[in-house]
């Protein structure tokens, strides 16, 4: 077995362990404490996915930075105005904040957009439909995520979750997937695909 394959298996194993431990911990009496480990879990997964990415170049890095910064700025505007996702505010489980916005949130948009893009490579659809297909996947994931986020103090809504939130997720996800994808990178990052699969399992179980 080649070294990249061994590294991929180790990374997938690590993400699986983190996910299983998270599910068990969140269902225990120490659920709130385990929820505070969400930034750590995301950073571990992001690192593992990055190690399995092959086409590193200036263009890819610029696109990653754009999504990271844009994701943070959009969340900041969303919290301040309520015009993007609706009226909400962040809790204490996502770690350090700047101006009330968790610093990790830009990384979350980046990892999800990258992973959803690679999932779309598994299905044969016209290239023009890739951002839309990936956006549907990310919006569906957000639908599963919302009850967990409110329950464990990632964020809270001022009332019921508005349909506006899901429309915004659909549009922004399509934008970010359209930004991150590249015709020069046909290889499927299996680790990223597995990450999204784990996320679905995680939110269904908790």
């Amino acid at each position: 077995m080649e070294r990249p394959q061994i590294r991929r298996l180790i990374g997938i194993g690590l993400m699986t362990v983190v996910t299983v431990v998270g599910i068990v911990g969140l269902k225990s009496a120490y659920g709130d404490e385990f929820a505070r480990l969400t930034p750590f879990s995301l950073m571990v997964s992001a690192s593992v996915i990055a190690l399995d990415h092959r086409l590193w170049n200036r263009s890819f890095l610029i696109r990653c930075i754009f999504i990271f910064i844009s994701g943070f700025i959009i969340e900041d505007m969303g919290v301040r105005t309520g015009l993007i996702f609706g009226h909400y505010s962040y809790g204490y489980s996502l770690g350090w904040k700047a101006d009330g916005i968790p610093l990790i949130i830009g990384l979350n948009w980046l990892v999800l957009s990258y992973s959803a893009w690679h999932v779309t490579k598994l299905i044969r659809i016209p290239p023009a439909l890739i951002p839309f297909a990936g956006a549907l996947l990310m919006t569906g994931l957000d639908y599963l995520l919302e009850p967990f986020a409110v329950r464990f103090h990632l964020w809270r809504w001022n009332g019921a979750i508005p349909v506006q939130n899901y429309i915004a997720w659909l549009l922004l996800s399509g934008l970010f997937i359209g930004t991150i994808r590249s015709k020069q990178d046909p290889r499927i990052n299996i680790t990223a695909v597995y990450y999204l699969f784990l996320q679905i399992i995680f939110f269904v179980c908790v």
Side-chain angles (χ1 to χ4, degrees), residues 120-121 123-134 181 183:
T120 63
K121 293 183 181 182
I123 54 179
R124 294 183 177 180
I125 57 176
L129 294 180
I130 286 177
F132 179 69
R181 68 173 178 151
K183 295 179 180 179

Side-chain angles (χ1 to χ4, degrees), residues 4 12 19-20 32 37 40 53 80 90-91 98 102 129 141 147 152 168 178 182 205-206:
I12 287 175
T19 300
V20 171
D32 284 350
L37 297 175
F40 169 77
H53 182 77
R80 285 175 175 274
Y90 280 99
L129 294 180
L141 184 64
F152 289 104
S182 170
C205 289
V206 297

Side-chain angles (χ1 to χ4, degrees), residues 29-90:
Y30 303 98
D32 284 350
E33 286 71 20
F34 271 88
R36 291 175 181 267
L37 297 175
T38 300
F40 169 77
S41 174
L42 177 56
M43 286 188 288
V44 168
S45 298
S47 299
V48 170
I49 291 170
L51 286 173
D52 202 20
H53 182 77
R54 290 291 172 268
L55 191 61
W56 289 96
N57 54 36
R58 181 180 178 184
S59 174
F60 176 73
L61 289 173
I62 290 175
R63 284 179 278 134
C64 286
I65 293 171
F66 171 80
I67 293 173
F68 183 96
I69 295 176
S70 297
F72 183 89
I73 292 175
I74 288 169
E75 294 284 352
D76 187 40
M77 292 173 59
V79 168
R80 285 175 175 274
T81 67
L83 297 177
I84 300 176
F85 304 98
H87 294 282
Y88 69 108
S89 58
Y90 280 99

Side-chain angles (χ1 to χ4, degrees), residues 27-198:
K27 285 181 169 293
S28 73
Y30 303 98
D32 284 350
E33 286 71 20
F34 271 88
R36 291 175 181 267
L37 297 175
T38 300
F40 169 77
S41 174
L42 177 56
M43 286 188 288
V44 168
S45 298
S47 299
V48 170
I49 291 170
L51 286 173
D52 202 20
H53 182 77
R54 290 291 172 268
L55 191 61
W56 289 96
N57 54 36
R58 181 180 178 184
S59 174
F60 176 73
L61 289 173
I62 290 175
R63 284 179 278 134
C64 286
I65 293 171
F66 171 80
I67 293 173
F68 183 96
I69 295 176
S70 297
F72 183 89
I73 292 175
I74 288 169
E75 294 284 352
D76 187 40
M77 292 173 59
V79 168
R80 285 175 175 274
T81 67
L83 297 177
I84 300 176
F85 304 98
H87 294 282
Y88 69 108
S89 58
Y90 280 99
Y92 55 76
S93 295
L94 288 178
W96 294 335
K97 299 177 183 178
D99 198 27
I101 310 301
L103 297 174
I104 201 74
I105 205 67
L107 181 62
N108 187 57
W109 277 107
L110 174 58
V111 172
L112 287 179
S113 301
Y114 177 89
S115 299
W117 165 45
H118 280 270
V119 170
T120 63
K121 293 183 181 182
L122 297 173
I123 54 179
R124 294 183 177 180
I125 57 176
L129 294 180
I130 286 177
F132 179 69
L136 284 176
L137 178 60
M138 284 180 61
T139 305
L141 184 64
D142 178 59
Y143 181 79
L144 297 176
L145 161 64
E146 290 295 343
F148 165 81
V150 173
R151 179 183 174 190
F152 289 104
H153 314 290
L154 275 68
W155 55 77
R156 57 183 175 272
W157 293 93
N158 297 346
I161 303 172
V163 175
Q164 172 187 349
N165 171 65
Y166 300 111
I167 295 174
W169 262 80
L170 188 67
L171 295 176
L172 291 170
S173 298
L175 170 64
F176 289 152
I177 292 170
T179 299
I180 196 65
R181 68 173 178 151
S182 170
K183 295 179 180 179
Q184 285 73 45
D185 188 9
R187 174 183 168 275
I188 298 174
N189 187 323
I190 298 300
T191 305
V193 173
Y194 187 72
Y195 170 74
L196 223 58
F197 169 76
L198 281 179

